[in-house]
Amino acid sequence: MRSASEQTDGPGGAGGGTEAGAAGGAAAGRPEPEGHAYPDHWEADVVLRDGGTARIRPITADDADRLVSFYEQVSDESKYYRFFAPYPRLSAKDVHRFTHHDFVDRVGLAATVGGEFIATVRYDRINDLGRPASFPADEAEVAFLVQDAHQGRGVASALLEHIAAVARERGIRRFAAEVLPANTKMIKVFTDAGYTQKRSFEDGSVRLHLDLEPTDRSLAVQRAREQRAEARSVQRLLAPRSVAVVGAGRTPGGVGRTVLRNVLAGGFTGQVYAVNPALGADAEAELDGVPAFPSVAAIGAPVDLAIVAVPAERVPEVVADCGEHGVRGLVVLSAGYAEGGGAEGRERQRALVRQARSYGMRIIGPNAFGIIDTAEDVRLNASLAPELPAAGRIGLFTQSGAIGVALLARLHRRGAGLSSFISAGNRADVSGNDVLQHWYDDPATDVVLLYLESLGNPRKFARLARRTAAVKPVVVVKGARHSGSAPPGHRVPVSRIPHATVSALLRQAGVIRVDTVTELVDAGVLLAGQPLPAGPRVAILGNSESLGLLAYDACLTEGLRPQRPLDLTTGATPADFRDALAAALADDSCDAVVVTAIPWVGIEGTTEVLAASLREAVAGGGAAGAAKPVVVVHVEMGGLAEALSAATSTRPAPARPRRTAAAAPAPVPQGDREAPEEREAPDPAAPARNIPAYPAAERAVRALAEAVRYAQWRRQAADPGRVPEYDSIDEAGAAALIDRVLGERGAGQESRGVTLTADETAELLGRYGIALRPTLPAPGPDAAVAAAARLGYPVALKTTAPHLRHRPDLGGVRLDLATEQQLRTAFAELTEALGKPEELQPVVQAMAPRGVDTVIRAAIDPAVGAVLSFGLSGAASELLGDTAHRLVPATDRDAAELVRSIRTAPLLFGWRGSAPVDTPALEELLLRVSRLVDDHPEIVSVALEPAVVAPSGVSVLGAAVRLAPPAPTTDLGPRRLPSY
């Protein structure tokens, strides 16, 4: 099929290629419409398959020279795939056509690196006959062209995501493309995208039609590509083949020279260079025994990673030097950016990110402490830490250099080794989300520890944390919890929900949420050195009855199920400890063991002997002990923690090869993930792992309790539940109502939103099978009597004035009015006590069956997305904060957990002999509210209060709904890095 424009203006069919080229293009020769502003929100930085970055932006008339230069670098084969014929150069008319767009019916996007085009994509809106068209035509032909040197980097896949999002924004629902059968790369780009598609063979070419509505598969494909690309970008930083330290001075001292020496002292296995402009052109220069040069350009060899330690005002020239000579990534130690809180520093930081990304480089920093990778084939200490930590199974990320130093020291003292360490400083580019992508499938990392002062994209963080936590523990301590703002230098969305709610949502995602760096280390060393417990049953043994009782009380406080402590008495020998521990490990009635120990009086050398005895017990525990964690609580036994850090744990880790940068397995379906109790059998040749020791029973038990809760979450995560379908939901009818209300009353209300009237609220909720108890206005006693006659006695009389709403303690509600006389008396009492009817706005409502008053809310938060909340109405939720939260969409498991997770949940299940209420009906109501908010992003808040749950059924007595035009989503659109 040929479009009219290509029959007259140039060769080729209407479709295909990319990674060589896909042809299309139906709109040449038309005058460009006026009035369509440049859509700067289409600009985006993306991470490509190999970990480099590119910028995607609309093509404009100013890009003519760039387009010609780009086309000249494309091979004849790729040009043939694009135009279906030899086409060595673009004519002036071609250049005009491909650079002049109206951003509605004709759109072109380019991927750029260093300001130059590396790939292009365009669409032209067409009608059913394939001719140029305008809205409301909803189909477009799409065409790609990728420079040969950049094929295989995933550029076309990223461009397809972005051009599809643009097309949907402009009312286009389908793409058409023609591809030559030999152009298998382009066909694969389309078929692998996950969209619903049709394929046919016509006139020697493959004709493809893609439905642009996102599907579960297209979203899964997008996220899998995002994970591979972002993981690869971090891996390139952590495992470079060559490193240049820019800013290493001639004299000892200074940040640059210190980092250079740390790189060398750590035994980095790659090539190291020193760079300092003060060295001039001295070809024989060396610093600390490595070649030294005045610039990166002067090195004359590939450099993968540059560590930048120069004053902030000199950083731009260093970035340009690195970018122009192929450096892949930067660690910027330099300060003087947004951490100072000033406008100049913030702008300097934005400029740094833009400049680095323009060259395809990613940045750690600025104001960073550095990075470490302990893999034997890397051994990189590109940080201010004086020593390379021991190799281990913990991945550590911090946003603070000072906290990073403290954590490194504490982990070292506890005998815990690291796989890698990143201290991101202002985290202007690489963030905790990127590092989670890397550690998710890094075989060298078993436990992830994160110190975060801000969350740049909490919705994405929760998604990544949930996926990672399904295969390895993620432990987070959040700094700056109560400051009310992010630290200087951290550009993050402002959240309206309380910190406690964010914590609850993170725990829902499987994150082990702790409050201090001490707890972070305590949990980390246990999880890295011990197996996950199969349950909450804890055996306690030791030579101090008092210490055992402290451990027992701590277990009860943390919700564990401790057995009575076994007191070995103060006369117990290390052999007694060994035998008692071996017996506990073999006992099927416990899931974990706490060993308590106090020093022996007058006996030297017992610490080492005790450690050896415990080591012997766990080594000989056999199958019964292989799945039980052991923790030790010691009092004034210097050296015990160090001795135990060399002890064999109850679950040796199978030796695993380090993942290469290219290896990035696809995400494992959740149902196929290995359950905690089904880990691989112990390998006798595997390296020993630590038995953690703690100086206080409370710390040991708290860490153990976190492991118990996490193990339970892991078991449940294998069956996360489902989002039910209900036949009674009218999604289209609800959408029409929302569109009508926003169209009539939504103009200029973007910030405040539109509150639905009572009738609109009832209609909208009714579309989702949520019935409101009938209510009629009662402006006077006669009107109240008439309303009661319509509804049927008994009725309730209540005020709806804002200052009295949901305040039964103020006397604005009268219940169980069974006769006209009772109603008239209640009306008179109400108006006499509280004010005139026009002030009170009284209403009459049919009585609901007696039950428990609850409140259900759903709200859109700009940081975390849609949140579903549940609690009991009144003081329980408002005064005591007894409210549970889940992210939307909620599954049936989420709804059941919501109902049971509040502290006052016993009131729903027959507390003190009361009748249990209909919790299945309550859970269904929660799921319907979740569906309503998930299906319609224009709904920014819903409140059902009260929702009275009776022994049979649930009645919604009051409801409020607010609408607003939907805000752009940060985690559901095409892949993009946070913008600066």
Side-chain angles (χ1 to χ4, degrees), residues 59 323 364 439 473 508 533 605 671 680 737 788 858 860 980:
I59 298 173
I364 290 177
W439 281 329
Q508 179 195 352
E680 299 176 56
L737 171 62
I860 303 296
Y980 263 83

Side-chain angles (χ1 to χ4, degrees), residues 63-116:
D63 290 319
D65 291 342
R66 293 185 185 89
L67 180 67
V68 171
S69 175
F70 157 73
Y71 193 78
E72 289 174 349
Q73 298 176 64
V74 175
S75 70
D76 290 340
E77 180 184 48
S78 294
K79 293 173 181 175
Y80 185 88
Y81 283 150
R82 168 63 176 84
F83 290 108
F84 293 10
Y87 207 59
R89 65 187 58 84
L90 297 175
S91 68
K93 195 169 187 178
D94 292 329
V95 172
H96 184 275
R97 173 159 60 106
F98 294 143
T99 56
H100 286 69
H101 306 96
D102 62 8
F103 304 129
V104 177
D105 299 328
R106 293 176 293 113
V107 172
L109 302 179
T112 69
V113 173
E116 299 301 321

Side-chain angles (χ1 to χ4, degrees), residues 513-584:
R513 178 73 176 76
V514 296
D515 291 327
T516 67
V517 293
T518 299
E519 293 175 356
L520 184 74
V521 173
D522 285 347
V525 295
L526 186 151
L527 293 163
Q530 298 293 297
L532 295 176
R537 302 170 302 171
V538 181
I540 303 170
L541 61 94
N543 63 352
S544 167
E545 181 181 14
S546 298
L547 193 54
L549 290 174
L550 284 175
Y552 181 87
D553 290 342
C555 286
L556 292 176
T557 299
E558 293 293 337
L560 303 180
R561 292 165 51 192
Q563 299 173 357
R564 295 302 303 179
L566 174 60
D567 183 14
L568 302 178
T569 77
T570 55
T573 66
D576 294 329
F577 273 89
R578 177 198 62 207
D579 295 342
L581 178 56

Side-chain angles (χ1 to χ4, degrees), residues 197-210:
Q197 57 186 272
K198 296 179 181 178
R199 186 191 305 194
S200 60
F201 190 79
E202 302 174 11
D203 299 328
S205 65
V206 178
R207 184 74 175 175
L208 294 167
H209 287 85
L210 278 74

